[in-house]
Amino acid sequence: MAGALNPVDLLVLVAAHRLGDDAYGVTIQADVSRLQGREVSMAAVYTALERLERRGLLRPWLSDPRPERGGRARRHFAVSASGREHIRRAHADAMRLWEAVPVPPAGKRR
Amino acid sequence: MKPPSLPRRWLSLVAPARIRQDFVDDLDEAFREAARVRGPRAARRWYWWQALGGTVKLFRLHFPDAQPAQTRGWTAATRQDLTYALRQLRRNPGFGLAVATTLAVGLGGVTAVFSVLYGILLRPLPIERPGEVVSLHRTYRDSSRKIPVSGVRFDRWVEANDTFTGMAASTNASLQFLVGGSALKLSAELVSANFFEFLGTTPLHGRLLTSQDETDAGGSVPAVIAESLWRQHFASDSSILGRALVSKDVSLAIVGVVPDAFARWRHPAVLWAPYRLTPALVRPQELARDGYGILYPLARLRPGLTAVTATPIVNALDARVSEAVERKDPRYGVALVPVRDLTTPPSLRRSLWILSAVTVLVLILAAANVASLMLTRAIRRRREFATRLALGAGPGRLTRQLLIEVGVLAVIGGAVGVLFATWTMPVLIALAPAAATASSVIAIDWPVVLFAATMTLGSLVIVALFPLQRARRTDVMSALRWGGSGTWSARPGRAHAFLVTTQTMLATPVIVAAALLVLTVLQLARIDLGFDPRHLVTMQVTLPREGYADGKAATRLRDQLLEQLMAIPKVERAAVGVWPPLRSYGEQAFTAGVSIDVDGVGRYLNGEPSQAAFTPGRQMVSTDYFATVGIPLRAGRSFAPSDVVGAPSVAVVNETLARMYWPGQNPIGKRVRFDWPNPPRQPGDFPWTEVIGVVGDARHYRIDAPARPEIYTALSQYPGAYPWQMLHVRSSGPIDDLAAAMRRAVRTVEPRIPLEEVRTVSDIAADLTATPRYSATLTTVLGVVALVLACGGVYGLGTFAAADRARETGIRVALGATRTRLIRQALARGLGPAVIGLTLGGVAASVAAKQLTGLLYGVEPSNPYVFALSMLILFCIACIAAYVPARRAARTDPMAALRAE
């Protein structure tokens, strides 16, 4: 798994991919929290976004001016081609791994 | 709905500029959503958590090139930096040693001084809510003497009071017991039975006295002893409870032990018993008499009251009580003193605070010194930093590494500093005035260590600032190309120059303060007391109650005592007086005088503020007193054996009194009459007293105040007047066992006289100057340290500048510049910042010197000569410190310099 991302970064990338055009700080944070099963801080999300952006897996773009932000634009993130490639590979790796693993049944060992 | 403003502002500070607005906007939007879903309160909590919890991550975003924040990676990097820092220290032990030593001295000094300050002034007293407790005493007009309260008055205060939530009282006693076969003399406090309940003390062993003890009569009297007494004389035996202590006056049974901390506070007492149950020591008749004051009450202020605001209320209460017992006298009042202020006179408190301030200055000086050392090293390591930057380390990484290096040095310095403090503390305590240290617990415990740690952190910040700035601004290319020096801009030298300016600026007030205090001590030593304190000892003798009401018996006793004392070998003279030659006890000068009617001149009433300067002090003495104490006779005669009861009443006056009442006239033969306005007596009740002699002025009260008018009368004419008298013995030289010999002499004459302490008058005089000498000694030491540090800084700057300009100097020498010219220019560069610092320091010193006003004697805080001399000394040493490296630089071989690097 070359160039593996740490778990939070991967989740952020995946969330950005799922959200498509609606991917920006607030929505990504909410989605990642949902995927993780616990609340993730906005700072952690932003840190991940920075790293992904630097690796070229995400591309930022600005929306139209938003009135609720005092006329400022909102910063969105789109998954780049290499980002999509990364997701495909990560998915394939994960599926390969779990296919080989027998899932233990719930309850006590016999 | 708006998110809370404080965390929002915090986020704007912490977040990097490029993402700040987006981040804040996103968080605001999330907040609004959270408020809608979870409610406003939960949303606010959530926002705080986001702001505070995200701080570290946001901070890291400032260093985007830093290693990816994988927690394992982070600790590995720190460990790497730590190892590297330690390796650097090992390779450059001299540097490490210099830095650690400098920090250790600074931090150690601050810790030691703070532990003394904390122990004496700040440590919470070993009682409940000490801030509420005040001590009460009666006052007479403007006299500073603390007059104890009578038993009946105290009882009435307790009954009628509504200002205090509780009151207790104590009186001092000296008891002698037979313990394990030997006589043991103990200082004790006889207290009201609620004393310990009032203070809220807990016993170490057994129980403490309670109000019940007063009502449960019969059997032995319960007593409580101090832990130290238990340890020293009873071997901490756990079966101490119930043990009997029997003296001729009282039989006590030990019921409990108090911890040392409490006993120290009540120093010198080591035993406590209820005064109502010891009638042999505190007679009920005496307690019932208002004129017989023996109690020192303590009280707890009601919430909302302070000592100052409660004073008029208590004075009104006292006036009412005075009326009720028919002893109304408006000249008496009541004073309230917070219990903490009892053991520490204002001058000691002040000098401790000043000492602390000076020590902190020296610490900052030390830190600045270290900072310049580190800066020099950081500049020398340009190549190293440049290489690391070129290889991909982020500035964040460099920052962390430098912080760790500085941190290691600071921790070592701090630890050695605490060790250093442990060693210097006994010295500080030994030098300090005994009264303050005896009743305080001075040790290095957690508040002191906490303080030391805080100071270490603070100095870390100062020390790390400069090299950090330097390292981050390293220009990689030029550093790699030129290595060490090269075409140098003025900017790097500026930091150094700033540090030197700071150091000289801080050193100046310290040196000036030391000079002022040393001058004070010298002036105090030059004071002429008016008598000769060398080889003069005093001992108090208290006549027993029975058998000495009659004046004849007292006179006979006195004569026998003097005879016995004169028989001691090497004793030249012996005499008896009522007061010791130096009557002030610390700050409380006993200033009460006597009312006097001067024939043909007027009456001077004691207590009248307008006449305060004229009312004389009165001393009753035996015939050989003046010769014994060493007060010269100026005119007329001294007392003779013929001056007895029945003979004409005579008196001797001092020069000040003669000048005051009879200016320009011969005082011999003039008449005076002692007066007693309260209760009022007829003028004819007292005989006229004739002045038969004039003696020189002696400073009986404060050694730093001029002599007051004094009138001496013959003890032989007032034999039964005072139940206690002062023996004065002058010897021809120091006598080893004089104290024991004196006690033996007293025992031979009257075994019932309790044995008191023998004190040399020189010791008493030295005690009075203890605080200024203490301040002077310590400030001088600090001044020397400051001087060394500041000049070390100047030397360092000179060395750095010289090394820096080695190449340039080499070129100039090669082109024909003379050595002298080079030295002159180097000196100017090196001394320039020092001179600026001196000037600023001089201004700071003149402001700071004003704070010393109460501690100085014989020297003004703005004395220009002191300032000039101090600054001159600093300047001269700075010149030398700048000259040495300048001369070395001027001697460089130009070829070697050009070839270098």
Side-chain angles (χ1 to χ4, degrees), chain A residues 28-86:
Chain A
I28 295 176
Q29 189 251 346
D31 207 34
V32 170
S33 302
R34 210 168 17 245
L35 287 171
Q36 273 236 317
R38 60 174 178 83
E39 178 113 34
V40 170
S41 72
M42 188 68 76
V45 168
Y46 261 73
T47 308
L49 287 170
E50 280 274 298
R51 278 199 293 267
L52 293 167
E53 192 185 327
R54 298 245 314 266
R55 282 181 72 151
L57 303 174
L58 282 180
R59 258 187 307 103
W61 57 275
L62 291 172
S63 73
D64 291 331
R66 313 286 313 180
E68 68 271 13
R69 294 202 177 196
R72 289 186 291 276
R74 207 160 53 190
R75 200 160 211 260
H76 288 244
F77 294 88
V79 184
S80 67
S82 52
R84 282 195 295 276
E85 178 59 33
H86 203 103

Side-chain angles (χ1 to χ4, degrees), chain A residues 6 24-26 29 39-44 46-47 50-51 54 62 68-69 72-75, chain B residues 18-19 21-23 25-27 29-30 32 38 46 49-50 54 57-58 61 64-65 68-69:
Chain A
N6 73 54
Y24 65 98
V26 181
Q29 189 251 346
E39 178 113 34
V40 170
S41 72
M42 188 68 76
Y46 261 73
T47 308
E50 280 274 298
R51 278 199 293 267
R54 298 245 314 266
L62 291 172
E68 68 271 13
R69 294 202 177 196
R72 289 186 291 276
R74 207 160 53 190
R75 200 160 211 260
Chain B
R18 67 179 181 283
I19 59 154
Q21 194 59 64
D22 292 315
F23 185 86
D25 285 340
D26 277 343
L27 208 60
E29 188 181 317
R32 284 192 294 273
R38 308 187 218 185
W46 173 87
W49 171 70
Q50 290 282 340
K57 287 198 164 69
L58 286 173
L61 282 175
D65 302 314

Side-chain angles (χ1 to χ4, degrees), chain B residues 623-639:
Chain B
T623 42
D624 212 18
Y625 178 80
F626 299 112
T628 306
V629 172
I631 300 178
L633 183 69
R634 300 283 191 219
R637 68 169 180 91
S638 171
F639 300 117

Side-chain angles (χ1 to χ4, degrees), chain B residues 431-445:
Chain B
L431 287 175
T437 53
S439 55
S440 318
V441 177
I442 301 175
I444 300 187
D445 51 8

Side-chain angles (χ1 to χ4, degrees), chain B residues 635-680:
Chain B
R637 68 169 180 91
S638 171
F639 300 117
S642 55
D643 297 317
V644 291
V645 177
S649 195
V650 292
V652 172
V653 300
N654 71 350
E655 286 169 314
T656 304
L657 189 149
R659 241 194 331 267
M660 236 177 220
Y661 298 170
W662 307 288
Q665 306 166 40
N666 183 7
I668 312 290
K670 300 281 192 213
R671 301 193 314 164
V672 297
R673 186 159 58 187
F674 293 107
D675 212 332
W676 215 265
N678 184 37

Side-chain angles (χ1 to χ4, degrees), chain B residues 595 597 603 618 649 671-689 718:
Chain B
S595 303
D597 183 3
R603 285 174 82 204
R618 181 179 176 180
S649 195
R671 301 193 314 164
V672 297
R673 186 159 58 187
F674 293 107
D675 212 332
W676 215 265
N678 184 37
R681 307 276 188 99
Q682 291 304 312
D685 287 353
F686 290 103
W688 282 108
T689 302
Y718 301 85

